[in-house]
Amino acid sequence: MFRLFGIIYALAGPTLAGIIITAALTMNKFDTMSMIYSAAIGFVVAVPIAWVVAKQINENA
């Protein structure tokens, strides 16, 4: 389960961070702290998402 979680998190974390950074840039937030906060939020939000997806895959496999 943890191995599958790690693989999914490695894909979901940067993806969500990139989406949130793009949203911040769209809102004209070009400063460094906004980019750092956006990336951190993306990586934190990816944890429960990756956990749920890994759990669903593990249960249905």
Side-chain angles (χ1 to χ4, degrees):
M1 174 76 175
F2 289 112
R3 186 172 163 186
L4 182 60
F5 166 76
I7 293 169
I8 294 171
Y9 180 74
L11 296 171
T15 302
L16 288 173
I19 290 169
I20 296 174
I21 287 173
T22 303
L25 290 171
T26 303
M27 295 184 288
N28 292 326
K29 302 284 186 179
F30 295 111
D31 56 310
T32 305
M33 290 311 292
S34 294
M35 296 297 106
I36 292 171
Y37 291 149
S38 299
I41 290 168
F43 281 108
V44 169
V45 169
V47 171
I49 292 172
W51 184 264
V52 169
V53 171
K55 186 175 179 182
Q56 290 293 322
I57 290 173
N58 203 18
E59 288 176 358
N60 293 326

